[in-house]
Amino acid sequence: MSGPERLALPGEVAERIARARRVVVFSGAGVSRESGLDTFRGAGGLWERMRPEELATPEAFQRDPDRVWRWYAWRFQHVAEAAPNPAHLAFARWQELFPSILVVTQNVDSLHRRAGSRRLVELHGSLATVFCQRCGRRRPMAQAVAASPASAPRCECGGLLRPGVVWFGEALPVAALEEALEEAGRADLFVSAGTSATVYPAAGLIEVAWRAGACVIEVNPEPTPFTRLAALRLAAPAGQAVPELTAAIERCRAQAG
Ligand code: BV8
Ligand code: ZN
């Protein structure tokens, strides 16, 4: 496979990148698309065949726990078989370029962590663990799915076990959201990659960063409601665009000395 195409950064963006110290990467399901995982919206997306309110809500779980459990067990199997793609790996390598970089993801697939990103905020939780609705006790999803692939398992206390993700209508983990908001409000560079930027309060981070003066870069084959705020838009799949952007950043920081 040929190396990354030579991406020419607009002068003003190159300037900002050369000086950038505080960097936030904000990612969505599109970044995991090239790991073989479906996005939520857009062609072939998960939600195309079902509506979010049907499955990713506390009411849906209340109404039919086994059906919701089976959907998450199915997604968990796919995630377990998936591997980080060049976009996840490039973002992990940015830790050498920007030591304090923070990756804020809406994804629940742990692929940024598996790629090596250390400073990571999972705004919508993670498929890796389940917890008991009654006593809160957490345990690995792998163990719960192995024990009960087709129906929502119960805790020793009798409570139902549920995936450790944030459902629609549920509050995001407070510490995670606070850290994401604080870092977005201080970022020199904010890269929004693979997200339709339609789910709140996560999507609000883009504007928080822009208002605070960050240089915003968007990586998405499609436009989003926040494309207008981007100083640079890479309208290409993340698996191709992020390695190209990485090479351009390395060149630009080497020139800046
Ligand atoms: C809450 C976990 C209140 C579960 C998910 C205003 C303020 C606050 C809330 C709201 C509000 N307006 C509406 C709401 C309610 C709701 C909301 O935002 N609804 C939307 C649909 C309008 N928000 C909530 O319910 C949130 N909770 O606000 O609670 C509250 C407050 C206090 C106290 C109590 C209650 C909770 C939201 C979290 C829901 N959980 N996930 C699970 O995974 O099953 S959201 C789900 O959507 C996923 O996490 C997903 O990541 C996320 C966002 O989607 P994206 O990641 O952007 O993915 P999507 O498919 O949409 O887009 C993919 C993009 O990739 C596309 O643009 C495509 O072009 C691009 N792409 C495709 N291929 C590639 C690519 N890009 C790059 N490379 C490629 N190869
Ligand atoms: Zn329990």
Side-chain angles (χ1 to χ4, degrees):
M1 185 167 113
S2 65
E5 293 284 304
R6 203 172 168 81
L7 173 71
L9 295 173
E12 185 251 340
V13 173
E15 269 285 299
R16 306 286 302 272
I17 285 177
R19 293 198 312 269
R21 284 187 316 101
R22 287 195 290 257
V23 176
V24 171
V25 169
F26 175 57
S27 75
V31 165
S32 296
R33 186 78 205 74
E34 289 146 279
S35 296
L37 298 179
D38 276 346
T39 58
F40 285 78
R41 297 160 190 85
L46 282 170
W47 304 127
E48 229 183 21
R49 297 186 288 283
M50 61 198 82
R51 292 197 323 279
E53 45 285 357
E54 272 183 14
L55 290 169
T57 66
E59 296 74 21
F61 188 65
Q62 205 60 39
R63 200 172 38 248
D64 188 347
D66 294 349
R67 179 164 180 248
V68 174
W69 178 261
R70 278 197 299 279
W71 183 52
Y72 280 95
W74 174 79
R75 284 176 61 193
F76 178 73
Q77 294 307 25
H78 276 253
V79 163
E81 288 150 14
N85 69 57
H88 298 106
L89 296 168
F91 280 142
R93 269 208 317 281
W94 285 24
Q95 292 170 134
E96 292 137 43
L97 294 165
F98 311 106
S100 66
I101 184 170
L102 177 71
V103 174
V104 177
T105 189
Q106 300 167 91
N107 301 338
V108 296
D109 57 30
S110 310
L111 289 176
H112 282 295
R113 189 181 306 287
R114 287 174 49 197
S117 287
R118 288 185 300 276
R119 274 200 83 204
L120 177 65
V121 165
E122 293 174 313
L123 283 182
H124 295 160
S126 164
L127 276 178
T129 54
V130 298
F131 66 87
C132 170
Q133 285 204 132
R134 183 182 296 171
C135 73
R137 205 181 125 205
R138 303 179 79 82
R139 68 201 80 191
M141 176 77 162
Q143 186 190 84
V145 168
S148 177
S151 60
R154 290 206 177 262
C155 170
E156 292 71 15
C157 79
L160 270 177
L161 298 182
R162 57 157 283 181
V165 300
V166 179
W167 279 329
F168 287 99
E170 292 186 323
L172 275 58
V174 176
L177 183 57
E178 266 170 14
E179 183 179 5
L181 281 166
E182 192 186 324
E183 294 279 327
R186 303 185 323 156
D188 307 312
L189 178 64
F190 187 97
V191 179
S192 176
T195 180
S196 60
T198 50
V199 173
Y200 283 82
L205 289 169
I206 306 170
E207 185 140 10
V208 164
W210 180 75
R211 281 196 187 290
C215 171
V216 174
I217 295 180
E218 183 176 69
V219 179
N220 192 326
E222 305 295 326
T224 73
F226 293 95
T227 301
R228 61 190 163 81
L229 304 185
L232 173 67
R233 177 177 168 228
L234 303 179
Q240 173 205 323
V242 180
E244 287 175 4
L245 177 59
T246 308
I249 290 173
E250 284 163 342
R251 282 195 301 275
C252 142
R253 291 182 65 93
Q255 279 154 16

